[in-house]
Each structure stands twice: as C-alpha cells, then as structure tokens.
Amino acid sequence: MHFRTAILIALQCSVLGAAPLLPLHVVESSQMNFGHPLSELVDGDVNPGNGLDMERGQLQEQAIIFATDAPVSAQVFQFTTWHVSKEKGAYPAALEFAVTSDDRPTRAGNWKPLKASLVITDTFPRNPDLVKPIEDTIFMGPGLEHAVLTVRAPNTLTGVTGFRLRLLAVDTGHISGQRVIGRSSNGNCVVNEFQVQPDPLRSSNLALGRPVRASGPVYDGLYPHYLTDGVPASFSHPADNYPALNFHFEVDLGTSRMLDYVVLRSRLDDLAAERLGNYELQLYDDDGTGHPGELRWRARMRQDGSHVPPGGRDVIQAEDGTGESFSGRFLRIVNPTEAPCRPQVGEVEVYPVLHPQIAMVSADGHNIDPEERIPPGIKQLAFALVAGPLDPSPDLLDFRWRRPDITGSSWVECHNGQRVSIACEKAGIYPIEFQARHTDGRWSHQVQSHFFVVPAPWWKSPLRLGVLAISSLVAGTGLAWWISVRRLRRKLGLAQAARAMEQDRLRIARDMHDDIGARLTHMALLADRLKRTQTPTPELLTKLAGEARDTVGALDQIVWAVNPRHDTVGSLADYLCNHATSYLADAGLSCQFEMPQEGREALLPFAIRHPLLMAVKEALQNVVKHAAASRVALSLATTADAIKLTVGDDGKGIDTGVSNPASGDGLGNMAGRLAEIGGTCEIGRSPSGGTLVTLSVPWKPAS
C-alpha cells in the first residue's frame, strides 16, 4: 500500500537538564494512526510497544508535524527521537527536521529544513559512522537493534510555530528492490518519542559546558567533556587497563555555590549499565589558586549493588551525604572499589539553590517599592516573582507561591515577572511563601517567605493618635529650631561671602602691588635712565616699550580675572589657550591644548580661576626659560570634586628626586598660590621625557 501521511500532535514537557521542552498542541490529524494513539509519541514511555509503528506505510515518505502553543524564537533547536521496537532495526534510514513560521502549520505549508551541527546516537562512539548528515538530510546505517537519535541544528527562523519530522524513502538494498523508510527487514520504522528543546545550552544546570578532568586515561574516544555536553547519548568511563580504585571525574563549576541537587545520568543503551553503581560524590572548595581545597561534602551511593538503569538518573541531595555544607566549586565522581571501567556517566547536572524575590509590588493598582511601607486601607495587593541576581538563566525559570496563613492553601504557579494578586480584606500581616523551578522541571528546595504588612488607618488606632499628637509637638518645636538655624546659617553665609569678597580684594591688591607696581617701578627707572642719557639708545627705548606692553597685558589679565562674565570653565579654557598659543609662538614653541566639550558652562569663581591662571603662566615661563623644549601640551579636565590642569613639555626635564617645589624657577610661587585655596602642585616627568606640572584644586561644579 502506497500513501503519504501527515500527523500533528501535542508535545508535553519532560524532565531534562537544559531548557524545557516546547509544549505543543494538536491542530490536525491524518485518518491513519497505525493502530496507536498519537499521544504515545509524547508520553515519556519508550518501551517497544509504545509509539507510532509505520509498518503499513514503510514504502512511502512519512511526515509528522508538531505545532507550538505560541511562536518560539531560538538560535538552536535540539531534537531527540526514540526508535525502540521488538522488530530489530526499525529505525529511520533517512530523516529530515524542518521548521515553519506559518500561522497554522500544515503539510503544504512553508517549511525550512535545518542543517545539523551535531548528530549522535546512543551507541556513540561505538558506532561513530552510523549516522552521516549530508546537507539537510541525516542518513542512518544498518546494524543496530534500536536507536536513540539526538540532533542539534542552528535556526535562523524567528517566531517558529511548528516542526516537521520527515522520514524519507531511500534505497536500502531491500529485497523487494523498492525504497523504504526504515532499516528493519521489511523496511519498517518505529517512532516511540519525539522531543524538542530550544537553545539546549541555556539552563539552570551549572555543569553544562563546564570543563571536566579525569584522574587517569579514559576509554579511547570517550572524552571527559561528554559528561557536560548536554547530550545524554554521549558518555565516558576510564580505560580498561587503568587501576580502578579511586579513579574519578572532576567537574569545575567555575565558582563555589550552594547546591540544590546533583543529577547523574546513565548511558541510553542497555550495555554495561552496572558501571554506574556503588560510586561516591565529593564536593571541594577552591583553595584560592583554582585547584580543589577543603572537602566540604561527600556521599556514598548505591552500596547495595544496584545501578542506575539505562537512560535513568540518580538525583543526589544534601541529606544523602555528610559534610559541613552541600556546596563547592569542584564536583568529583569517584570509584571507591576495585571494579574496572567505573564510573561510567552519560551526563552530570548540577543545580544551585535558587533565590527568587518579590518584585513589581502594587497596592490597589499603584506601584510601590517592594521594601516600601504599604499604605493603610488598601483592598488588594499585586506582586510578581523574579529570579535572584545570581540565579542562572533567569528568564527560563518558573515559580509558585501560596498563603501559609490559610489552611489548605495550595501552590499557584506563575511565570517570571507575571503579576499575581491577593485580597486584603482588613489590616494585618499577609505572609507569602514562594520557590523557583529549575529548567529540568524540579522545584528548588529553597522555600522563601515574605510578609506584607497592611496597616490600619490612623484614625482607628488610639496609639497612633497619641503618637501623632506627640509628633506634632515635636514637629512644632523642630520647626522653630529649624527656622532659627536657617537664620543663623543665612547670616553665616553672608559673612562668609563678605569674607570671600575681602580675600578677593586682597588678592587683586596684592597682584596690583606685586606685578603692576613692580612693572611701573621698572618703567620709571627706565624713564629716568632715558632722561640722564644724552642720546637714548634704541635698545633702551625698545626695553621701555616692551615693559609698557607687558604692564598693559598684566593689567588686562587682572581685569579679565575680575570680570564676572568670565566665571566659567570654558572662559578659563579659552583664555589659557589664547595666551599659551601666543606666548609660546613668540618663543618658537608649538602648543597643543585639550579640554572636553562637556562642562564648559560650569561656574568657576574668581577665587579659583585667578590662582590657576597665575600658576599656569608661571609654568609656561619656566618652560620657555629653562626647559629647552620644542613642544608644550596643556590639558584641562574636571571631575565631580576637582579641576585639574597639566602643563607638559618635551624638554630636558627636571630631577624630581631632588627638586623642591618651594625653590627656584617659580615653583614655590605656583605651590604657594594653590595651597592658599586648598590645591596642590606636583612636578614630575612627562611621557615625552620632559617636565609635567599638575595643578589640582578642589571644586564642586555648579551650573
């Protein structure tokens, strides 16, 4: 009989170590189901009599289509199919996985085949050539009784709404000469189970992808990292001839964590199942150098001679062992016996204690901080549960909560960030218990509590009325005190402002006396010499003219500094740039000036601006007179609490080991000027080998 069938079924969640399986629903069904209910494909049962038997359709391509409850986006999908039957070799000869984003997935829809990046069976690596991916098709060779196939494929389609499993009819050398879909003697194929995981390497499993070290050689091709690759079809065990006692695998979790439970999975086939039995687990702290240190916890498992069944798992918790704490960075799986080739492990999963927390609280529809006091008289509280800051894969976690104060209160499940609400009929304490669920489907053992306190209105509490009266009295007294303090502070502020103005006047007077006065005196002396000279020389006249110009420049500088229109950082920067460029150009030196664009409008008072200006001029004079430089670099920068100016050159430099800023070359003047306003002057080497002068003054920017 030749026919083609398309089956759309519902896929249920299963317990796995990575991201949860996608929930699907039935949207269409073919008229034929080969004598088995379609639900058997997702019931978790992989016994030979369970699933979809295609004996009457083995001569024609078959398609099984799965539809999602909602569009799904993922970078990678991992598919696992079980083909276990009483009929030997009833697994696919060739198959293909495809995805669609159609609103309703159908057989005739738009399908995009996926190209596998990883293909592995339960017999790997014993049969490494059994499966061969070629383009979009996966070919499986003959020779096995059954097969469990795991395929990981990158996905570029967003909003995936369905998956298609195609079983292709190919030439297998069947005695009939016809193309068939399976490897059994009559070309049949059986599908027991179908699972899909989005982004399988995202999980609350700390061990996923972590490095694994073996204490000795392992069996050829069975690499230690198979224990944490997220594929239960791969496994590892020690070499046959290696001493068995105390052989161990060691998983490095990267950091020490409190653990919830550890899962050890066995290999999927039924060969050598006894090798995952009578083993010991050990947890070690980091010794501070990235190596195992103190032994924190240990547990001896399955000493009774039992073993983990094929495809099964052991779940180990703190109470299964002894030690100071069920925590650590390094997990060891140890063989404490002389039995060889143990331990044999398919996958190691380590799940930390989860610490979900209350978020997005609202009282009668008004959002409040979770730590904020709840207003009195509210009727309804709403909140959301989210993952803790250290919880892995927070967006994949689900939660549940209940009211322990209500007898028989049941757990209510919710998603990450989903709002839930409770009624508050009266004032009182409303306790909440909640916990998180790991991505493998198990609930964390950590149950946390939170107490919502709804206060009564103040007019219903005599105690609060008394407190209110006392508070009013205290507030009145405090207000009077505050008003008096405010007046004193205002007077003090005025006095400080007057004192600052007086200090500014003294600085101006000092500069006028020290600088302008000295220059005018020098000019008078030059004029007297001219009077006494019968024929004045050009040099003397030039010197008098230069001194006059310098005096005008110094006076202009003082006038600029006093002018309140220049009380900004940008004005100071512009003045310094113009002065330095002109002054250094006359001396044959190049100049580079740097200042960030932000902060130019910040106010910089005369008391700071003027000393900085004078100090920079001193530094530039020192460069021209003593540095023997060819290039000068100036920079101005501001921070939240200081303003800093640097003057660097490429000259001969200064011996910072013996130099004293208080001596010679104007260094003492610079240090003295800045010390008066709480600043500092540091002299050192510039990156180019010359001198670097750093001027820093405490300052709070103001707009």
Side-chain angles (χ1 to χ4, degrees), residues 198-527:
D199 292 329
L201 297 184
R202 296 183 64 216
S203 169
S204 59
N205 169 21
L206 294 179
L208 194 60
R210 296 300 306 172
V212 183
R213 185 184 68 86
S215 63
V218 298
Y219 193 82
D220 186 31
L222 302 181
Y223 306 109
H225 71 262
Y226 286 162
L227 273 63
T228 58
D229 63 357
V231 182
S234 61
F235 59 92
S236 182
H237 66 72
D240 295 341
N241 58 353
Y242 188 77
L245 183 62
N246 293 329
F247 178 94
H248 65 264
F249 290 107
E250 180 180 276
V251 181
D252 182 1
L253 303 178
T255 184
S256 290
R257 293 287 295 270
M258 288 293 301
L259 303 187
D260 202 356
Y261 54 90
V262 177
V263 177
L264 295 189
R265 294 181 181 269
S266 68
R267 57 194 283 185
L268 296 181
D269 59 28
D270 56 358
L271 299 177
E274 76 283 352
R275 292 181 181 175
L276 189 51
N278 196 3
Y279 61 89
E280 181 167 301
L281 281 188
Q282 300 173 355
L283 281 169
Y284 291 84
D285 260 344
D286 188 337
D287 66 354
T289 65
H291 297 88
E294 178 187 0
L295 176 64
R296 302 284 290 172
W297 179 91
R298 69 195 307 167
R300 185 74 175 269
M301 306 299 298
R302 294 188 177 272
Q303 285 185 270
D304 58 359
S306 63
H307 59 267
V308 182
R313 55 189 172 269
D314 272 352
V315 180
I316 303 100
Q317 305 171 81
E319 54 267 28
D320 296 322
T322 60
E324 182 179 342
S325 174
F326 191 50
S327 64
R329 170 177 172 176
F330 299 93
L331 171 69
R332 286 184 179 178
I333 310 155
V334 185
N335 178 19
T337 72
E338 300 282 354
C341 300
R342 304 187 185 197
Q344 178 175 268
V345 185
E347 196 72 15
V348 177
E349 300 166 17
V350 179
Y351 296 90
V353 172
L354 300 178
H355 298 89
Q357 55 192 18
I358 297 283
M360 296 179 287
V361 178
S362 67
D364 284 346
H366 300 286
N367 293 334
I368 60 174
D369 188 272
E371 302 300 326
E372 185 179 341
R373 184 175 181 270
I374 297 174
I378 68 160
K379 299 301 181 183
Q380 189 177 63
L381 279 171
F383 63 92
L385 295 175
V386 298
L390 297 180
D391 292 345
S393 299
D395 57 318
L396 299 181
L397 302 182
D398 286 329
F399 309 92
R400 65 180 182 181
W401 65 279
R402 68 180 177 184
R403 292 270 306 276
D405 58 322
I406 299 178
T407 303
S409 175
S410 59
W411 289 102
V412 179
E413 296 188 17
C414 58
H415 299 301
N416 183 57
Q418 178 184 346
R419 284 288 182 103
V420 296
S421 60
I422 58 174
C424 305
E425 299 177 356
K426 58 182 181 180
I429 298 175
Y430 293 84
I432 301 295
E433 290 182 346
F434 53 94
Q435 60 186 153
R437 179 166 56 197
H438 286 283
T439 54
D440 71 340
R442 292 184 180 84
W443 291 103
S444 172
H445 291 85
Q446 180 82 1
V447 178
Q448 296 179 250
S449 300
H450 186 85
F451 295 90
F452 291 109
V453 180
V454 179
W458 64 269
W459 61 85
K460 293 184 178 181
S461 174
L463 177 60
R464 289 181 180 172
L465 287 174
V467 171
L468 181 61
I470 296 174
S471 299
S472 300
L473 178 61
V474 172
T477 305
L479 179 61
W481 175 82
W482 178 79
I483 292 173
S484 64
V485 170
R486 186 177 176 84
R487 288 174 177 171
L488 289 174
R489 286 180 176 174
R490 185 171 179 275
K491 291 180 179 179
L492 179 60
L494 292 174
Q496 289 175 339
R499 184 169 178 271
M501 184 179 295
E502 184 64 26
Q503 289 177 339
D504 290 343
R505 289 173 177 172
L506 289 174
R507 290 192 187 96
I508 296 171
R510 183 185 64 185
D511 290 340
M512 294 287 288
H513 178 270
D514 294 348
D515 193 5
I516 304 300
R519 292 179 184 276
L520 291 175
T521 300
H522 190 204
M523 288 175 61
L525 293 175
L526 290 174

Side-chain angles (χ1 to χ4, degrees), residues 543-580:
K543 191 172 184 179
L544 178 60
E547 189 64 35
R549 284 193 295 271
D550 290 345
T551 302
V552 172
L555 185 60
D556 177 67
Q557 173 186 299
I558 294 175
V559 172
W560 176 89
V562 173
N563 193 334
R565 291 185 302 171
H566 300 144
D567 280 350
T568 63
V569 173
S571 180
L572 175 63
D574 293 341
Y575 188 90
L576 287 177
C577 181
N578 292 333
H579 172 76

